[in-house]
Amino acid sequence: MRKIIILVSVLLLGVALMSYLYFSKLGIENDAKDLALQSATNNAALLFSFQNDKGFYEIIEGQNLLQQAIGKEKTDLLKQLKESFVNNKTINSLILDQEIYLSLLPDSNKTLNFLITIQVKPNQTALNFQNQLKPFLTPIAQEKNIYSAKVNDSLNIFVGVQHQVLTLSTSLKLIKDAGIRLKENPFTAYIKESRLQNKNVLAQLYINYNQAPLLLKNIISENINGELAVFNAQNSFATLNYNFSKEKILFNGNTEIKAADNYLKLFENIPVQNIEIQNVLPDQTANYTIYAYDNYQSWQKKLMSWQAQKKLTDKTTSLIKHIRSEYRTDLNAIFSVYLKNQFVTFQLNTGEKLTAISLSNGEKVKQLLFDVSEDYSDEIKHFKSSDILFSYLGEPMKNFVRPYYTIIDNYLIAANNASTIQSFLSRYRNNKLLIQEPEYLDAMNQLSSTSNIGYYINLKRSNNIFRSQMRPQYYKHLQADSGLKTFDTFYYQMSADQSKFLTNMLLNKYLKPQVPDSSSNR
């Protein structure tokens, strides 16, 4: 009996040892496969991924919209790199059918630059890989594993060669920053998990919002504040699949919010809503953000939890008590009862900012707010106390501290200047609305009519806003015929799907219908 126990123990020990060795080796092989991804994701906010095969290039060359989006200069650079490296038989034999990562990164002198990262085929040893590349590379003095390569008479690039990973860029800084790190970063881990769920797609765009501030600081000429302040602490990621089209640039996939105290978490795990509040927006609207939930009373519980996490509960409670004592008005009996299911913050082409809030009974709310408001005119009122809207709707209302407001057709419209409200009322009553614009309707037809969150930018009406915020080289690209000038709409749409948001990202250009030439019918 003792011999049998010893024999079984030895066999079990042997199996455990073999399993350990097998899975350890498998883990090392998987780590090796991910070295390129780890290198590509270092400090990257945007990562475009595609497979190095002939079919991909043929499809992309059939559409010039992506080329317009990144600009002529960067497009020409990528074409030259493809012709010199990808089309080279020796180099292409090392990277055929391999994943290519194109990272957009902040570079020196307030510029942005590309880093291309490729893992060579697994049947190539590191030594053989490097030996085959030697004829094309010139070592750079005092730089380990970094070389220069001549693309043409006017262009030299830097090349990093390390652990069967190839990195290319016109920036030496980016090559050095992309050195192999064996420790996985959160962005790498997120992409690896996403890739298991997304197969057989033409290309993918990964977004790391944690790195967005570094990117934005090189694009905008002022501090990241106002509407952009959300990017200062946006712990979230997105995986978006590219949908080929000759008419528009469309990606769809999902956005995942990691931070528990992120305001957008309040819209997770709730039904998508039919969006209607855009119907009230004037035709001057340059951008907006729409928020929608199913029922205010249940959503308010989430808001109160968020306020507790942000240590805002005492401030809100104190405000409600003060107004009840000072003005004999119970705010809970107004907003908790009559707020409907969606609201929007928006900015006009003049730069003025407003908000519109959907109400179930506008006339009743108008009466109940009488004591907590003072008259500016018969239609326009002014809150006597600060942060009323912030207390009941949270972060998007922080810029409307003590606004002027009006209530019309079951919408509360607020702004920081009475003249802005007057201008709004004039356009609204004269039916000068965003929903009547052909460009807007065309873009909305490409998207779902139901969602929870929507970010909209009218690129043409935002022209003056961009001019005041962006660095000259990026504003120039926005205005170039070969750049973004011919596009009119950007939209980022999020629809709750359990712990993630199904996401559509659209860059659209409206093509006016062709009017038949009447002379041809004669």
Side-chain angles (χ1 to χ4, degrees), residues 85 134 136-140 146-151 156-160:
F85 288 90
K134 277 183 179 179
F136 307 96
L137 307 176
T138 302
I140 295 180
I146 300 179
Y147 306 82
S148 66
K150 189 179 182 68
V151 176
N156 285 302
I157 65 163
F158 299 99
V159 181

Side-chain angles (χ1 to χ4, degrees), residues 298-343:
S298 59
W299 183 81
Q300 188 181 26
K301 295 175 183 177
K302 293 186 174 187
L303 177 67
M304 293 171 69
S305 176
W306 175 81
Q307 289 171 332
Q309 289 175 304
K310 293 291 187 179
K311 295 180 170 46
L312 296 168
T313 303
D314 290 345
K315 179 180 178 181
T316 300
T317 303
S318 176
L319 171 69
I320 294 170
K321 286 182 178 179
H322 168 73
I323 289 178
R324 186 183 292 120
S325 171
E326 183 76 14
Y327 304 110
R328 295 182 302 241
T329 299
D330 182 3
L331 292 179
N332 286 331
I334 305 173
F335 292 103
S336 299
V337 175
Y338 295 105
L339 284 184
K340 211 174 174 183
N341 70 328
Q342 49 199 272
F343 61 97

Side-chain angles (χ1 to χ4, degrees), residues 390-407:
F390 178 78
S391 297
Y392 286 89
L393 290 171
E395 191 171 280
M397 298 297 158
K398 65 184 178 183
N399 292 321
F400 303 99
V401 178
R402 196 165 76 88
Y404 295 86
Y405 75 89
T406 190
I407 295 176

Side-chain angles (χ1 to χ4, degrees), residues 100-153:
I100 294 182
Y101 300 106
L102 182 63
S103 309
L104 184 63
L105 295 155
D107 201 356
S108 54
N109 301 320
K110 299 297 181 181
T111 60
L112 301 179
N113 212 332
F114 286 137
L115 174 74
I116 299 173
T117 310
I118 316 167
Q119 186 113 21
V120 300
K121 296 169 72 171
N123 61 356
Q124 294 287 331
T125 65
L127 181 61
N128 183 47
F129 155 56
Q130 294 179 21
N131 285 337
Q132 292 192 61
L133 287 175
K134 277 183 179 179
F136 307 96
L137 307 176
T138 302
I140 295 180
Q142 299 179 339
E143 295 291 350
K144 186 179 179 181
N145 302 321
I146 300 179
Y147 306 82
S148 66
K150 189 179 182 68
V151 176
N152 54 41
D153 292 338

Side-chain angles (χ1 to χ4, degrees), residues 198 201-205 239-243 250-254:
N198 296 278
V201 295
L202 181 64
Q204 289 181 305
L205 177 68
T239 299
L240 303 173
N241 303 322
Y242 175 60
N243 288 269
L250 177 63
F251 290 84
N252 57 45
N254 63 73

Side-chain angles (χ1 to χ4, degrees), residues 244-274:
F244 175 79
S245 169
K246 292 187 177 181
E247 291 79 34
K248 58 185 176 291
I249 297 176
L250 177 63
F251 290 84
N252 57 45
N254 63 73
T255 302
E256 188 172 345
I257 311 296
K258 296 291 187 180
D261 64 347
N262 190 309
Y263 180 80
L264 300 184
K265 278 278 190 182
L266 275 61
F267 299 88
E268 282 186 345
N269 302 305
I270 56 178
V272 294
Q273 301 298 303
N274 186 39

Side-chain angles (χ1 to χ4, degrees), residues 9-24:
S9 299
V10 170
L11 287 172
L12 289 173
L13 183 61
V15 169
L17 182 60
M18 290 175 65
S19 300
Y20 171 78
L21 292 172
Y22 171 76
F23 286 109
S24 295

